[in-house]
Structure formats: structure tokens, C-alpha cells
Amino acid sequence: MNNPFVDEEKPKDECGVFGLYKHPEAAKITYFGLYALQHRGQESAGISVNRGENDEIFSHKGMGLVPEVFNMEALERIEGGSAIGHVRYSTTGNSVLTNAQPFVANHRHRSYAVAHNGNLVNAHILKEELEEQGSIFQTTMDSEVFLHLFIQNLIKGDYESAILKAVSKIEGAYSMILLTCKGEIIGMKDPNGFRPLALGKLHGHYVLASETCAFDLIQAEFIRELDPGEIVIINEDGIKSIRHPKAAKHKSLCIFEYIYFARPDSTIDGKNVYEMRKALGRRLAQEAPVEADLVMPFPDSGNYAAIGYARESGIPFEMGMIRNHYVGRSFIQPTQSMRDFAVRVKLNPVRELIKGKDIIIIEDSIIRGTTAKTRVKALRELGVKKVHMRISCPPHVFPCYYGIDFSSKGELIAAQKFGDELRDYLGLDSLHYLTIDGMMEATGIENPELNFCKACFDGDYPVPFDPNFTKQCMG
């Protein structure tokens, strides 16, 4: 049975990665870095460190949230020189402990660990080739393919050459951090730059993270984003930047990072996520004005676009639904006869505020439509007169192969129902999605068509892929 407390309306986040070079409390700081990146993955968490006379890599990882996986005893047990960490949502491979990252491989008395955000669209093909050459795989993760390629090309400790040869073979989306047994930290970004990866400094120690909000928590100085196709090698000589051997036609940052995935207090590619979401809301108000008594989000995802819509439209912003932030993973599962209860546990309306009113609900996306339909029905039963819904992105009509977990058109309500049919299915008085042109203009970025991947909206995939590629193809 599906977990009724997980919002099936929303796409699942990809993963978050973090790395810190040569710090006396590397594991503990990495723990806090992962805590800040928890929104990017809630299935598993792990930290790997290099330590000891033989420069071994030690790891601790488990299923669950960061504070469920780690305690002080575990962190002190793995304290070492350099550390990398990972929080995971499984976009490739099963959600089992074996697939929890960082993934560690041992070769000729040396260890290497990797943490990966994204999807390698040719991993299943490369895995088959590697197995024919004698490689033995321990997981069903695409990330392990990279590590096999890296070790295969590793000659006389020449990390630079091995990495360039490995990345020249992999295709798709990746922001990766590699930890060597000697403590070097190596950050890599695919040539299209699908996923964010930022460089910072903490009291003279270099740090890498998926988002800048992790730097804020540990009080690190933000230096810059890694460029698409950039590889940074951090060791005792400092930091060296090299480039991927194959250049992409243009940058393809996933625009859904701005719409939903990233934390609003992060800055990506020079743009603050909070302000970007407000800009999307403002554009939405310009495209689809409607008379109403109030503007409200379904917390928390639609909050910031709703602020932008309200300010642009002049209609008051209200929190008409209150979220219960204490619905945890261990909450007792209701029986089938209690499904309505399960829906109400997470969000509860402020009856006096919305009864008899015409309201505008701002959402950042609709994926499957089931949760939105249930919530709109509940509002009608409370006596709301009119319910208008505005979505701060275009309709999702194509699957994503680069790290978002909706892999078939059958999962996407907007690919099955259109216009008035979808409006009626959801029980709305009106429905409007932000147009692709409006979304792109709202970013405020020059030549946005050369900067973003928006394949889930228009089917224009920047990197070709095997049509047989699925979440389970590595099994």
C-alpha cells in the first residue's frame, strides 16, 4: 500500500551530495551539510571518510532520514581527514541499503568512494560491456558504472587521466563527488550542467555541495558554481580545474530546480530560488488573472509563487491551509476505510477564512492529480464558492530521464487529460498552467532557451537515450 502521508502529487527529488577536504571534523560537518540537503532525498543517507595509516575509506550509511541514520557515536567512529556525503531518492535502482551511497570500491589495496546526483542514461549499456570484461557489480546503481570505469583507467595514480577517460564514456546527468583513499576530493559536472554543484570554502578548507543552503548552515563562504563539464581536483596542492573532453551544444540546467526541487534559500546559477519562484507567480498573474477573495497555496511547495501572484494581482495572500509538520515516517498507517483521515492529517483548512469565498490556489506542479483532486473536493465540502487553480509551470507531459522520478507518460495527468477535461476532473472552476514562453521569460536570464532543460514540458531532450532506459534497467 502506498504511504498516504507521502505527497504523490509531487515528483520525487533526485539526490544531494556534499564533500569537504581535510577538516578535523569532516564527518560532523558533512552531517550538517546533508541535513541542509535533506529535501533532495529522504530514502537513505551516508558519509564516507578517508582515515588511518593505510588511508582506508570508512563509511556509515543507512535507510531513512539523516538524523535517523547518524548519531554522535556513528560520526565519531568515522571521523577522518576528508569526507563526502549523500542523501538519496532512487531515480535508478531499488530503494535498498545496498544501493545507499556513497558507493565504495576497493582496488589494489586502495579505496575510492563516489556520491552522485543525476541519471546516467547509458549506464545499462556500459554495465553490460564491463561485465563482459569481467567487472563484478555490487549494486543496481548507475553510479557504480562510473567507479568501475574510473578504476579501469587508473594507471600509476593518474586521477586526472582516469577521470577524463571515464566521463568521456558516460552520458546523461551527473553532479558527482569522488573521494580517494589519500583524501583528494574531486567534483564533476556533466557537460550539459543538468544538476547544480557549488564550490565553497570553510576556514581554508574547500567544500562542495549540491546547493548553497548547505554552505549557509555550516557558515562556509560561497565561491562559485562549477561550470558545465568542469572537473575540480582538490588536494594538498590546492584546486585544479579541468574540462570534460566533449563539449555540449548549450547548458541544460533542469529548470525544475527553480520551480520545485531546490530550497528557496539557495542560489543557483546566480539566481535566488525564492525570488525566482515569486517571479513565476507574478508572470502567472499576468497570464491568468481572475477575480477572487484570496490567493492561497497548498503548503509548502506553492508558497513563494503564491506570494508573487498575490502581489501582482493585488488580491490578498492568505494561508488557507495549515500544514502539520510533525507527520513523521513512523505515523500509524490507517486502514483503507480511513483514507480521508490520512489526507487530512497533513493539511487542514482554516474554515472561517475560506468558507463562502472565491479562492485562487497556487501550485508549483501537478503530476498525477490524485492529491489535488482530493483536496479540491474537501474545499468544496467546506463551502468554498469558487476554486481557481494556477500552476507556476507548464503541464508535465513527457517523462524525465535525467533524475526526476516520473518515467512514463501514464504517470502524468496532463498527458492524459487536457484543458476543460482536466479542469473538470480536478473539480475546478478554472485552471491555468504557466506557458513555456512565460516561464522562460520569468527567469530573467538572457537566452533562456540556451540555458535550461525543459524536456518534461516540451519533449526536447538535450541528451539522446535508449528508449529501454528505465529506473529498473540496472537490475
Side-chain angles (χ1 to χ4, degrees):
M1 184 176 71
N2 291 334
N3 186 341
F5 304 110
V6 173
D7 192 348
E8 297 298 333
E9 193 71 60
K10 297 301 178 187
K12 299 300 184 298
D13 301 7
E14 328 96 334
C15 298
V17 297
F18 186 92
L20 178 60
Y21 178 71
K22 297 286 186 182
H23 191 285
E25 294 187 301
K28 294 185 180 70
I29 292 172
T30 299
Y31 166 86
F32 286 109
L34 294 182
Y35 207 101
L37 299 172
Q38 184 75 86
H39 59 288
R40 298 188 70 87
Q42 299 90 45
E43 286 188 2
S44 65
I47 295 174
S48 295
V49 301
N50 84 298
R51 188 189 69 195
E53 295 180 2
N54 298 320
D55 295 310
E56 297 177 87
I57 288 180
F58 294 83
S59 299
H60 181 87
K61 53 189 178 179
M63 304 303 293
L65 304 176
V66 173
E68 294 171 341
V69 173
F70 294 98
N71 55 30
M72 186 59 68
E73 180 184 352
L75 291 171
E76 289 177 348
R77 190 167 58 246
I78 62 169
E79 197 62 81
S82 297
I84 64 171
H86 188 270
V87 287
R88 182 173 191 253
Y89 178 78
S90 54
T91 53
T92 300
N94 295 320
S95 176
V96 294
L97 182 57
T98 306
N99 286 341
Q101 294 192 37
F103 175 70
V104 180
N106 300 299
H107 177 71
R108 293 184 175 179
H109 309 293
R110 297 189 176 213
S111 302
Y112 307 91
V114 67
H116 172 206
N117 171 206
N119 266 4
L120 306 182
V121 296
N122 66 336
H124 57 305
I125 299 170
L126 292 171
K127 180 184 179 184
E128 188 172 336
E129 294 175 359
L130 287 163
E131 286 180 326
E132 288 178 356
Q133 297 167 15
S135 293
I136 298 173
F137 281 77
Q138 301 176 39
T139 75
T140 57
M141 292 186 301
D142 55 349
S143 316
E144 188 179 356
V145 169
F146 165 79
L147 209 47
H148 277 273
L149 290 170
F150 168 72
I151 291 173
Q152 186 182 70
N153 290 288
L154 191 57
I155 301 171
K156 296 180 181 179
D158 184 0
Y159 297 136
E160 185 174 328
S161 175
I163 287 170
L164 288 173
K165 288 177 181 177
V167 298
S168 70
K169 287 196 168 187
I170 60 177
E171 297 173 358
Y174 58 87
S175 284
M176 261 188 287
I177 306 178
L178 176 71
L179 171 66
T180 76
C181 55
K182 296 294 184 181
E184 293 98 334
I185 297 283
I186 302 168
M188 294 159 276
K189 201 168 182 180
D190 68 76
N192 290 83
F194 283 102
R195 301 293 161 206
L197 187 61
L199 175 69
K201 215 167 192 181
L202 175 65
H203 308 308
H205 303 270
Y206 284 107
V207 57
L208 292 163
S210 291
E211 294 183 34
T212 60
C213 63
F215 295 162
D216 295 336
L217 179 59
I218 65 171
Q219 295 185 303
E221 171 195 1
F222 168 69
I223 298 175
R224 62 179 179 86
E225 292 259 357
L226 267 66
D227 293 329
E230 184 177 10
I231 300 162
V232 292
I233 302 172
I234 303 169
N235 55 30
E236 59 186 10
D237 296 324
I239 184 167
K240 180 180 181 180
S241 175
I242 58 177
R243 297 288 166 172
H244 193 286
K246 299 177 184 177
K249 291 181 180 178
H250 57 80
K251 183 163 63 174
S252 303
L253 173 66
C254 173
I255 198 165
F256 217 59
E257 291 283 353
Y258 286 123
I259 295 166
Y260 174 74
F261 281 140
R263 254 177 53 166
D265 50 337
S266 287
T267 295
I268 296 176
D269 208 23
K271 295 284 186 177
N272 174 256
V273 175
Y274 184 107
E275 293 297 334
M276 181 72 79
R277 289 177 187 167
K278 285 201 302 182
L280 294 169
R282 288 196 299 270
R283 180 59 187 242
L284 194 55
Q286 295 164 8
E287 286 189 0
V290 64
E291 292 185 4
D293 297 303
L294 60 92
V295 175
M296 57 173 273
F298 282 147
D300 291 321
S301 57
N303 290 2
Y304 313 103
I307 292 171
Y309 190 103
R311 289 184 179 176
E312 182 67 22
S313 66
I315 299 172
F317 170 89
E318 299 284 359
M319 294 298 291
M321 301 284 277
I322 304 302
R323 179 182 174 187
N324 183 345
H325 290 269
Y326 302 97
V327 180
R329 300 163 64 91
S330 60
F331 198 92
I332 296 170
Q333 299 290 310
T335 61
Q336 193 63 35
S337 62
M338 299 169 64
R339 301 302 288 175
D340 288 344
F341 167 79
V343 172
R344 293 197 306 271
V345 157
K346 187 172 181 180
L347 289 178
N348 193 49
V350 183
R351 298 167 183 264
E352 293 79 7
L353 183 66
I354 61 178
K355 185 175 181 179
K357 301 290 180 61
D358 296 345
I359 65 173
I360 304 170
I361 297 170
I362 307 298
E363 267 282 33
D364 53 29
S365 58
I366 298 179
I367 303 302
R368 296 170 179 84
T370 51
T371 304
K373 180 181 175 71
T374 301
R375 288 172 177 172
V376 171
K377 180 176 180 287
L379 291 171
R380 296 285 193 190
E381 291 171 350
L382 286 172
V384 175
K385 282 174 58 181
K386 290 186 178 181
V387 183
H388 306 280
M389 187 172 285
R390 300 293 182 263
I391 314 299
S392 61
C393 73
H396 284 84
V397 291
F398 295 95
C400 175
Y401 297 94
Y402 308 127
I404 303 177
D405 187 27
F406 46 83
S407 56
S408 71
K409 275 196 171 187
E411 295 180 276
L412 305 172
I413 188 66
Q416 312 302 319
K417 301 180 185 296
F418 313 95
D420 293 347
E421 182 186 8
L422 180 54
R423 178 201 64 196
D424 295 342
Y425 170 78
L426 295 173
L428 300 166
D429 291 281
S430 72
L431 171 67
H432 180 85
Y433 284 89
L434 188 62
T435 62
I436 290 179
D437 287 345
M439 175 184 68
M440 299 299 269
E441 290 178 17
T443 65
I445 293 175
E446 187 176 355
N447 298 319
E449 66 279 0
L450 301 179
N451 283 274
F452 294 110
C453 175
K454 55 186 190 316
C456 55
F457 305 131
D458 63 8
D460 183 10
Y461 294 98
V463 176
F465 54 87
D466 183 337
N468 296 318
F469 176 77
T470 67
K471 179 176 178 177
Q472 303 301 332
C473 67
M474 294 288 289

PDB file of all heavy atoms in Angstrom, residues 31-50:
ATOM      1  N   TYR A  31      27.678  15.820   8.050  1.00  0.00           N
ATOM      2  CA  TYR A  31      26.346  15.522   8.592  1.00  0.00           C
ATOM      3  C   TYR A  31      25.435  16.744   8.486  1.00  0.00           C
ATOM      4  O   TYR A  31      24.290  16.647   8.025  1.00  0.00           O
ATOM      5  CB  TYR A  31      26.473  15.067  10.045  1.00  0.00           C
ATOM      6  CG  TYR A  31      25.179  15.039  10.818  1.00  0.00           C
ATOM      7  CD1 TYR A  31      24.348  13.930  10.771  1.00  0.00           C
ATOM      8  CD2 TYR A  31      24.789  16.125  11.601  1.00  0.00           C
ATOM      9  CE1 TYR A  31      23.156  13.894  11.482  1.00  0.00           C
ATOM     10  CE2 TYR A  31      23.602  16.106  12.318  1.00  0.00           C
ATOM     11  CZ  TYR A  31      22.790  14.988  12.248  1.00  0.00           C
ATOM     12  OH  TYR A  31      21.601  14.968  12.948  1.00  0.00           O
ATOM     13  N   PHE A  32      25.937  17.905   8.901  1.00  0.00           N
ATOM     14  CA  PHE A  32      25.111  19.116   8.829  1.00  0.00           C
ATOM     15  C   PHE A  32      24.865  19.539   7.386  1.00  0.00           C
ATOM     16  O   PHE A  32      23.786  20.043   7.050  1.00  0.00           O
ATOM     17  CB  PHE A  32      25.761  20.244   9.625  1.00  0.00           C
ATOM     18  CG  PHE A  32      25.641  20.065  11.108  1.00  0.00           C
ATOM     19  CD1 PHE A  32      26.749  19.748  11.883  1.00  0.00           C
ATOM     20  CD2 PHE A  32      24.423  20.195  11.738  1.00  0.00           C
ATOM     21  CE1 PHE A  32      26.636  19.565  13.256  1.00  0.00           C
ATOM     22  CE2 PHE A  32      24.287  20.013  13.104  1.00  0.00           C
ATOM     23  CZ  PHE A  32      25.397  19.698  13.872  1.00  0.00           C
ATOM     24  N   GLY A  33      25.865  19.328   6.524  1.00  0.00           N
ATOM     25  CA  GLY A  33      25.651  19.617   5.114  1.00  0.00           C
ATOM     26  C   GLY A  33      24.533  18.775   4.532  1.00  0.00           C
ATOM     27  O   GLY A  33      23.673  19.274   3.787  1.00  0.00           O
ATOM     28  N   LEU A  34      24.501  17.496   4.887  1.00  0.00           N
ATOM     29  CA  LEU A  34      23.426  16.621   4.419  1.00  0.00           C
ATOM     30  C   LEU A  34      22.091  17.008   5.024  1.00  0.00           C
ATOM     31  O   LEU A  34      21.041  16.888   4.372  1.00  0.00           O
ATOM     32  CB  LEU A  34      23.757  15.165   4.767  1.00  0.00           C
ATOM     33  CG  LEU A  34      24.966  14.545   4.074  1.00  0.00           C
ATOM     34  CD1 LEU A  34      25.121  13.086   4.502  1.00  0.00           C
ATOM     35  CD2 LEU A  34      24.861  14.658   2.556  1.00  0.00           C
ATOM     36  N   TYR A  35      22.111  17.454   6.253  1.00  0.00           N
ATOM     37  CA  TYR A  35      20.872  17.899   6.905  1.00  0.00           C
ATOM     38  C   TYR A  35      20.243  19.035   6.096  1.00  0.00           C
ATOM     39  O   TYR A  35      19.022  19.072   5.897  1.00  0.00           O
ATOM     40  CB  TYR A  35      21.193  18.370   8.322  1.00  0.00           C
ATOM     41  CG  TYR A  35      20.052  18.249   9.295  1.00  0.00           C
ATOM     42  CD1 TYR A  35      20.002  17.198  10.209  1.00  0.00           C
ATOM     43  CD2 TYR A  35      19.021  19.179   9.316  1.00  0.00           C
ATOM     44  CE1 TYR A  35      18.953  17.071  11.109  1.00  0.00           C
ATOM     45  CE2 TYR A  35      17.969  19.062  10.208  1.00  0.00           C
ATOM     46  CZ  TYR A  35      17.940  18.009  11.103  1.00  0.00           C
ATOM     47  OH  TYR A  35      16.894  17.875  11.983  1.00  0.00           O
ATOM     48  N   ALA A  36      21.087  19.948   5.611  1.00  0.00           N
ATOM     49  CA  ALA A  36      20.582  21.068   4.812  1.00  0.00           C
ATOM     50  C   ALA A  36      20.068  20.609   3.457  1.00  0.00           C
ATOM     51  O   ALA A  36      19.226  21.286   2.842  1.00  0.00           O
ATOM     52  CB  ALA A  36      21.685  22.116   4.623  1.00  0.00           C
ATOM     53  N   LEU A  37      20.557  19.471   2.972  1.00  0.00           N
ATOM     54  CA  LEU A  37      20.171  18.954   1.657  1.00  0.00           C
ATOM     55  C   LEU A  37      19.127  17.846   1.763  1.00  0.00           C
ATOM     56  O   LEU A  37      18.819  17.191   0.759  1.00  0.00           O
ATOM     57  CB  LEU A  37      21.407  18.409   0.928  1.00  0.00           C
ATOM     58  CG  LEU A  37      22.519  19.420   0.642  1.00  0.00           C
ATOM     59  CD1 LEU A  37      23.758  18.704   0.098  1.00  0.00           C
ATOM     60  CD2 LEU A  37      22.052  20.490  -0.342  1.00  0.00           C
ATOM     61  N   GLN A  38      18.541  17.660   2.929  1.00  0.00           N
ATOM     62  CA  GLN A  38      17.605  16.555   3.151  1.00  0.00           C
ATOM     63  C   GLN A  38      16.433  16.571   2.170  1.00  0.00           C
ATOM     64  O   GLN A  38      15.907  15.515   1.782  1.00  0.00           O
ATOM     65  CB  GLN A  38      17.070  16.600   4.587  1.00  0.00           C
ATOM     66  CG  GLN A  38      16.157  15.451   4.964  1.00  0.00           C
ATOM     67  CD  GLN A  38      16.900  14.152   5.208  1.00  0.00           C
ATOM     68  OE1 GLN A  38      17.379  13.893   6.302  1.00  0.00           O
ATOM     69  NE2 GLN A  38      16.983  13.305   4.196  1.00  0.00           N
ATOM     70  N   HIS A  39      16.008  17.762   1.743  1.00  0.00           N
ATOM     71  CA  HIS A  39      14.872  17.866   0.822  1.00  0.00           C
ATOM     72  C   HIS A  39      15.128  17.180  -0.512  1.00  0.00           C
ATOM     73  O   HIS A  39      14.198  16.845  -1.236  1.00  0.00           O
ATOM     74  CB  HIS A  39      14.541  19.340   0.566  1.00  0.00           C
ATOM     75  CG  HIS A  39      15.671  20.125  -0.026  1.00  0.00           C
ATOM     76  ND1 HIS A  39      16.787  20.478   0.708  1.00  0.00           N
ATOM     77  CD2 HIS A  39      15.881  20.616  -1.278  1.00  0.00           C
ATOM     78  CE1 HIS A  39      17.625  21.161  -0.074  1.00  0.00           C
ATOM     79  NE2 HIS A  39      17.106  21.239  -1.279  1.00  0.00           N
ATOM     80  N   ARG A  40      16.410  16.934  -0.850  1.00  0.00           N
ATOM     81  CA  ARG A  40      16.745  16.344  -2.139  1.00  0.00           C
ATOM     82  C   ARG A  40      16.664  14.809  -2.130  1.00  0.00           C
ATOM     83  O   ARG A  40      16.752  14.184  -3.189  1.00  0.00           O
ATOM     84  CB  ARG A  40      18.144  16.787  -2.581  1.00  0.00           C
ATOM     85  CG  ARG A  40      18.265  18.285  -2.781  1.00  0.00           C
ATOM     86  CD  ARG A  40      19.591  18.676  -3.387  1.00  0.00           C
ATOM     87  NE  ARG A  40      19.699  18.262  -4.775  1.00  0.00           N
ATOM     88  CZ  ARG A  40      19.276  18.974  -5.819  1.00  0.00           C
ATOM     89  NH1 ARG A  40      18.680  20.142  -5.630  1.00  0.00           N
ATOM     90  NH2 ARG A  40      19.426  18.515  -7.043  1.00  0.00           N
ATOM     91  N   GLY A  41      16.510  14.213  -0.957  1.00  0.00           N
ATOM     92  CA  GLY A  41      16.399  12.763  -0.884  1.00  0.00           C
ATOM     93  C   GLY A  41      16.152  12.305   0.530  1.00  0.00           C
ATOM     94  O   GLY A  41      16.882  12.717   1.437  1.00  0.00           O
ATOM     95  N   GLN A  42      15.131  11.458   0.723  1.00  0.00           N
ATOM     96  CA  GLN A  42      14.764  11.023   2.073  1.00  0.00           C
ATOM     97  C   GLN A  42      14.790   9.513   2.248  1.00  0.00           C
ATOM     98  O   GLN A  42      14.352   8.998   3.265  1.00  0.00           O
ATOM     99  CB  GLN A  42      13.362  11.548   2.423  1.00  0.00           C
ATOM    100  CG  GLN A  42      13.244  13.058   2.435  1.00  0.00           C
ATOM    101  CD  GLN A  42      12.862  13.625   1.073  1.00  0.00           C
ATOM    102  OE1 GLN A  42      11.983  13.111   0.408  1.00  0.00           O
ATOM    103  NE2 GLN A  42      13.525  14.695   0.663  1.00  0.00           N
ATOM    104  N   GLU A  43      15.299   8.776   1.248  1.00  0.00           N
ATOM    105  CA  GLU A  43      15.293   7.316   1.365  1.00  0.00           C
ATOM    106  C   GLU A  43      16.491   6.784   2.143  1.00  0.00           C
ATOM    107  O   GLU A  43      16.363   5.848   2.918  1.00  0.00           O
ATOM    108  CB  GLU A  43      15.287   6.684  -0.034  1.00  0.00           C
ATOM    109  CG  GLU A  43      13.947   6.803  -0.728  1.00  0.00           C
ATOM    110  CD  GLU A  43      13.892   6.007  -2.014  1.00  0.00           C
ATOM    111  OE1 GLU A  43      14.882   5.329  -2.341  1.00  0.00           O
ATOM    112  OE2 GLU A  43      12.858   6.079  -2.696  1.00  0.00           O
ATOM    113  N   SER A  44      17.664   7.363   1.896  1.00  0.00           N
ATOM    114  CA  SER A  44      18.861   6.879   2.580  1.00  0.00           C
ATOM    115  C   SER A  44      19.857   8.018   2.721  1.00  0.00           C
ATOM    116  O   SER A  44      19.739   9.054   2.053  1.00  0.00           O
ATOM    117  CB  SER A  44      19.499   5.715   1.816  1.00  0.00           C
ATOM    118  OG  SER A  44      19.982   6.128   0.553  1.00  0.00           O
ATOM    119  N   ALA A  45      20.831   7.805   3.590  1.00  0.00           N
ATOM    120  CA  ALA A  45      21.886   8.802   3.798  1.00  0.00           C
ATOM    121  C   ALA A  45      23.181   8.071   4.114  1.00  0.00           C
ATOM    122  O   ALA A  45      23.167   6.966   4.680  1.00  0.00           O
ATOM    123  CB  ALA A  45      21.520   9.753   4.941  1.00  0.00           C
ATOM    124  N   GLY A  46      24.311   8.681   3.736  1.00  0.00           N
ATOM    125  CA  GLY A  46      25.589   8.057   4.014  1.00  0.00           C
ATOM    126  C   GLY A  46      26.737   9.038   3.992  1.00  0.00           C
ATOM    127  O   GLY A  46      26.650  10.090   3.347  1.00  0.00           O
ATOM    128  N   ILE A  47      27.791   8.709   4.718  1.00  0.00           N
ATOM    129  CA  ILE A  47      29.020   9.505   4.747  1.00  0.00           C
ATOM    130  C   ILE A  47      30.205   8.549   4.637  1.00  0.00           C
ATOM    131  O   ILE A  47      30.228   7.498   5.288  1.00  0.00           O
ATOM    132  CB  ILE A  47      29.139  10.331   6.041  1.00  0.00           C
ATOM    133  CG1 ILE A  47      28.026  11.380   6.130  1.00  0.00           C
ATOM    134  CG2 ILE A  47      30.512  11.014   6.133  1.00  0.00           C
ATOM    135  CD1 ILE A  47      27.991  12.144   7.450  1.00  0.00           C
ATOM    136  N   SER A  48      31.181   8.907   3.803  1.00  0.00           N
ATOM    137  CA  SER A  48      32.437   8.169   3.693  1.00  0.00           C
ATOM    138  C   SER A  48      33.591   9.107   3.998  1.00  0.00           C
ATOM    139  O   SER A  48      33.582  10.270   3.579  1.00  0.00           O
ATOM    140  CB  SER A  48      32.615   7.590   2.285  1.00  0.00           C
ATOM    141  OG  SER A  48      31.640   6.613   2.001  1.00  0.00           O
ATOM    142  N   VAL A  49      34.600   8.608   4.735  1.00  0.00           N
ATOM    143  CA  VAL A  49      35.772   9.409   5.072  1.00  0.00           C
ATOM    144  C   VAL A  49      37.037   8.588   4.808  1.00  0.00           C
ATOM    145  O   VAL A  49      37.012   7.356   4.832  1.00  0.00           O
ATOM    146  CB  VAL A  49      35.763   9.857   6.557  1.00  0.00           C
ATOM    147  CG1 VAL A  49      34.520  10.670   6.882  1.00  0.00           C
ATOM    148  CG2 VAL A  49      35.863   8.641   7.479  1.00  0.00           C
ATOM    149  N   ASN A  50      38.127   9.284   4.512  1.00  0.00           N
ATOM    150  CA  ASN A  50      39.419   8.589   4.449  1.00  0.00           C
ATOM    151  C   ASN A  50      40.121   8.764   5.786  1.00  0.00           C
ATOM    152  O   ASN A  50      40.068   9.833   6.400  1.00  0.00           O
ATOM    153  CB  ASN A  50      40.274   9.128   3.295  1.00  0.00           C
ATOM    154  CG  ASN A  50      41.038  10.377   3.683  1.00  0.00           C
ATOM    155  OD1 ASN A  50      40.427  11.396   4.017  1.00  0.00           O
ATOM    156  ND2 ASN A  50      42.362  10.315   3.647  1.00  0.00           N
TER     157      ASN A  50
END
